[in-house]
Structure formats: structure tokens, C-alpha cells
Amino acid sequence: MQRWAACCLLAVFAFGAGHSFAQEPSPSHTTASNAEKGPVVLPPPSEKAVQFYRSGNVLWAIREVWDLLVPAIILFTGFSARMRRFAAWAGRYWFFTIAIFAAVYTLLTFAANLPLDYYAQYVRMHAYGLSNQTLGKWAQDTLIALAIEMVVTALFLWVPYLLLKKSPKRWWLYTGLLMYVFFAIVFFVKPIAIDPMFNDFGSMKDKALEQKILALADRAGIEGSDVFEVNKSEDTKAINAYVTGIFNTGRIVLWDTTIKGLSEDQLLYVMAHEMGHYVLYHAYFAIAFMGTLMLIGLYVIHRASGWVIARYGSRIGFDRLSDVASYPLIMVLLSATMFVLTPASNAYSRYNEHEADRFGLELTQDNHAAASAFVKLFQENLGYPYPHPLIKLWRSTHPPLGERVQFCNEYKPWAEGKPLVYGHLFRESETAPQ
């Protein structure tokens, strides 16, 4: 999910993370049959895809405004202060006051967001033919996510507020440093404790295909790799794969829709792309990058909150940031800051995805399979090949599909006898590309 405010103060809502989609091998690995296939042509988007793109942009804009508006209303109506008074009465002790406030706030924002979430996640996806999810499954997943959010918020929101009390001038620094640790814990725990709550994860059913993927992983320098097949067909018709986890929970996850929707050579390229994320340590760099963005966001909160409290203190009902009633203020300021930083975050993500594309091409040396896989992704997921530059800046975490297909068609250093960027990471193997 990609709401930055939800990562605030120990990343209360941040449970969606991951990357979605030796000797250097010699030029002889590429056969004439692959070369003769020629470049893949990206067809124009369908009318439905254009509508999906445009309506998605409108929905994104509404969501951005709504995510600022909801906590702002709670804050400036004084309702946050009344919630704090109730929490103090019900909890009596400071820790329980924080926990009760967190739970009530989470329920309140959940209720405020529910109509928009229902439309965006259920109604719209069915309207465009992208979802298989029943209303019962959607409701179940939504309530599970709510329960996780409430528990984590109630358990950990006290940490930054304790730091605010103990060190009002440096709380942002200490909280920001703790965010690096927290993000690492989330990345570690998510694959084994969170993801299985929503879908069934298991070993691949096609053992012959699994052996080919493991052989490819061996060439990529990955030892003891785990590939999981997840039954996403109960939720969606879209195709995808991703890397998640760190240390011994790191794994490559393959949707069953992807296995059904792609040819074997296309699927092997997708796997090579995901292996690129794994080998290039993108998850670890993501933790560092996200932690740095949070540190910047917390500093902005530290600098800006004093002015807001001084100007509107009588209206909002508190006179210091260490009052838990300030939580909506923190969410508003963090959301605004992360909106400004989103282009930098997306650019970093697009760079990682581009390098994973390069890694996959160098590992498989099958340009046609790579480009045609992206065309298939484009068609099945109602993709739009070249979004507006501003949309690319604020919404695109991956390179536009048109750019990816073009790169896959043109990038062939092995055919020109040039060294590979990642060739030093590959192992010689009898299963090299043929």
C-alpha cells in the first residue's frame, strides 16, 4: 500500500513491502531462433485500458485529498481532543490511554475510508474485469488488515510519544533511527506472519518448472532459494510476481495467475527479474531509503507542528505535541511531506526495477521472452504504456511499460561482445541460456 502516512510513528500501517516484478556468459548462449523473432511490438492500449488509466488518476487524486482531509477534520473540529479525554477516562494509566486512543482513531478512520476503499478495491476492480474476489473474501481481508493495524498501533504508538515526553528536541531523530529497525522487522516478519493471513502460500505444483526456476536461481548465484506459489486467482485476474522478506525469510512469490498466463520462457524471465531484486539486495536498500524518508518526515513534523499548535491550540484542544491528541496533526504533516517526497521515492523504485530488468535480460539473454512478457502484463493488467510525465512522477513505482518493452527489445550487450553489467554475479552452469 502505498500511503506514506500509514508508515508514521513505527510504521503502524506499513505491512506492504517488497518488489513486484562465476564467469560472464558468452555471446554463443543466444541462438539464431531467438534473434530471428525480432522486436516485440507493443499494441496500443484498449479503450478499457485508457478508461482504467484515466479513472485511476482521478481516484488517486481523490485519495490523496481524502487522506489529508480525514485527519484534518478530526484535528480541527476538536474531536481528537475529545477522543483523548475519553481514552484517559477509560484507560486511566498513560500507556492504556495511548492504546485506547490508537484503537479508537484507527476505527474512526477505517469507517471514514470504507466507502472509498470498497469502491476502489472491490467495485472498480470487478467493473473492469480484473477481480475474482467475492464480497465475503474482500470483507474478510479488510477486517484482517484492520485487526493488524489496530493491534500494531495500540502496541507501539507509545514509543514516539514517550520520546516526545523525554526528549522534545530530539524525539524526531530517535524515532527516525528506530524506524530503520522497525522497517527491518516488518520486512522480516511479513512473509511468514502477515502474508499467509490473506492467501495460501505453498510450493510450486509444477515440479518440472520449479526445477528450471531453481536452476536459473543457481546461475544467478542464489543458494537455497525458496519459490512460493500463491493462490491469487481467488482474488484477481491480474498477473504478478514479487520478492519479499530479508535474511532467512527472503523469498520469491509467484502468483498462480502468472503461471497460467505466461509461457514458460516468459515466466523464466519474470523469475530472473525477481532474482535480480534478491541478488542486488534491493530489500535492504529499500529499508535504508524508507527509513531516511521517514526521518525527513519526522523532522518536518518537529519543525512545523509548533507553529500549528501555537496558532490553533485553543481550537484543536492541546498545547504540546507530546499529547496523544496530536496524532492526527502528525498524520496530516507526514502525509503532506511524503506527498512532496513521492517523486524521489518513485524514481528510486523505478531505478531498482530497471536494474532488475537488466539483470533478468543478462541472465536469460532472451529479449523476445522479456518484451513479450511485458506485453502480456500490459494486456492482462489493463496497462497504459506511456503515462503523462506528472503521473509518472507521482504514481509510477515501475518504469512505464512502453519503456520496458523498448529496453527489452534493444538491450543486447552479449550480441555485441560487450561485458555484462552483472555478469560477474553469474555462475557457469549446464543450464545456461540456449
Side-chain angles (χ1 to χ4, degrees):
M1 107 182 141
Q2 302 271 47
R3 277 189 314 168
W4 278 104
C7 300
C8 174
L9 303 175
L10 299 179
V12 169
F13 311 123
F15 285 97
H19 298 274
S20 69
F21 196 22
Q23 294 291 321
E24 183 179 303
S26 65
S28 63
H29 289 153
T30 303
T31 65
S33 61
N34 278 335
E36 289 171 358
K37 292 177 180 178
V40 174
V41 178
L42 181 65
S46 65
E47 183 178 347
K48 181 185 289 189
V50 174
Q51 293 174 352
F52 187 70
Y53 164 74
R54 291 174 177 171
S55 63
N57 292 335
V58 173
L59 186 61
W60 168 80
I62 292 172
R63 172 66 77 182
E64 291 296 321
V65 174
W66 189 250
D67 286 344
L68 283 170
L69 190 61
V70 170
I73 291 174
I74 295 173
L75 175 69
F76 287 106
T77 58
F79 194 70
S80 182
R82 292 195 288 274
M83 287 167 55
R84 183 249 294 126
R85 287 194 291 271
F86 167 77
W89 169 80
R92 298 189 179 183
Y93 299 101
W94 179 81
F95 173 81
F96 295 110
T97 297
I98 300 286
I100 292 172
F101 180 93
V104 173
Y105 180 86
T106 302
L107 281 172
L108 182 62
T109 54
F110 169 80
N113 291 327
L114 186 59
L116 189 57
D117 288 339
Y118 171 68
Y119 170 76
Q121 299 167 12
Y122 186 80
V123 175
R124 183 169 180 262
M125 291 297 103
H126 280 82
Y128 282 97
L130 292 174
S131 180
N132 294 320
Q133 197 173 49
T134 65
L135 181 60
K137 179 62 162 57
W138 178 84
Q140 173 184 305
D141 289 352
T142 300
L143 291 176
I144 290 173
L146 172 64
I148 294 170
E149 190 175 312
M150 288 184 65
V151 170
V152 175
T153 311
L155 287 178
F156 294 107
L157 190 61
W158 65 273
V159 176
Y161 277 102
L162 178 63
L163 293 172
L164 272 164
K165 289 179 62 177
K166 298 295 184 181
S167 182
K169 293 183 178 181
R170 294 287 183 267
W171 73 272
W172 62 272
L173 176 61
Y174 303 141
T175 303
L177 293 176
L178 285 174
M179 289 303 301
Y180 291 96
V181 179
F182 186 78
F183 280 133
I185 293 173
V186 170
F187 269 66
F188 181 82
V189 171
K190 180 178 177 289
I192 57 177
I194 305 300
D195 291 346
M197 294 184 182
F198 299 94
N199 294 100
D200 295 328
F201 287 72
S203 58
M204 291 192 62
K205 297 180 178 65
D206 187 335
K207 296 304 178 183
L209 179 59
E210 181 181 40
Q211 288 305 308
K212 292 181 180 181
I213 293 173
L214 293 177
L216 192 66
D218 183 68
R219 281 202 65 241
I222 302 174
E223 295 181 355
S225 55
D226 291 319
V227 181
F228 287 81
E229 181 178 335
V230 57
N231 64 328
K232 285 297 290 186
S233 57
E234 67 174 340
D235 294 328
T236 182
K237 296 177 182 178
I239 58 178
N240 195 18
Y242 62 91
V243 167
T244 186
I246 57 174
F247 305 126
N248 64 339
T249 67
R251 59 192 60 186
I252 297 171
V253 178
L254 186 61
W255 290 6
D256 59 350
T257 53
T258 306
I259 297 174
K260 296 174 184 177
L262 298 182
S263 66
E264 184 176 288
D265 57 348
Q266 291 171 340
L267 192 143
L268 288 175
Y269 170 76
V270 170
M271 290 291 93
H273 168 98
E274 300 304 331
M275 291 170 193
H277 286 305
Y278 189 97
V279 173
L280 300 177
Y281 301 108
H282 285 169
Y284 299 93
F285 288 116
I287 291 170
F289 190 79
M290 290 166 61
T292 301
L293 289 183
M294 285 299 301
L295 190 62
I296 295 171
L298 291 169
Y299 178 70
V300 171
I301 292 168
H302 172 69
R303 298 291 296 179
S305 59
W307 178 85
V308 176
I309 292 173
R311 183 176 178 85
Y312 299 103
S314 59
R315 183 173 181 177
I316 60 182
F318 56 88
D319 58 6
R320 61 190 186 280
L321 195 61
S322 59
D323 188 325
V324 72
S326 69
Y327 189 53
L329 171 61
I330 291 173
M331 298 300 278
V332 168
L333 293 175
L334 189 62
S335 292
T337 303
M338 290 308 172
F339 177 81
V340 174
L341 294 176
T342 291
S345 172
N346 286 347
Y348 177 74
S349 177
R350 288 195 301 272
Y351 170 78
N352 282 344
E353 294 296 334
H354 179 70
E355 291 309 301
D357 288 349
R358 186 195 309 275
F359 185 97
L361 282 169
E362 293 187 348
L363 184 62
T364 63
Q365 298 186 14
D366 192 339
N367 298 80
H368 190 274
S372 60
F374 283 124
V375 170
K376 186 71 173 180
L377 184 74
F378 163 80
Q379 294 173 327
E380 294 296 323
N381 295 359
L382 295 183
Y384 194 80
Y386 295 103
H388 188 279
L390 290 178
I391 298 300
K392 178 180 175 180
L393 279 176
W394 262 276
R395 292 198 65 200
S396 298
T397 58
H398 292 59
L401 281 168
E403 295 179 9
R404 300 180 88 173
V405 171
Q406 182 179 357
F407 179 70
C408 290
N409 280 330
E410 297 175 353
Y411 185 73
K412 305 175 184 179
W414 55 87
E416 303 170 4
K418 295 180 179 179
L420 305 185
V421 174
Y422 300 116
H424 64 286
L425 300 174
F426 303 155
R427 295 171 177 168
E428 285 291 352
S429 169
E430 296 179 359
T431 58
Q434 297 296 322

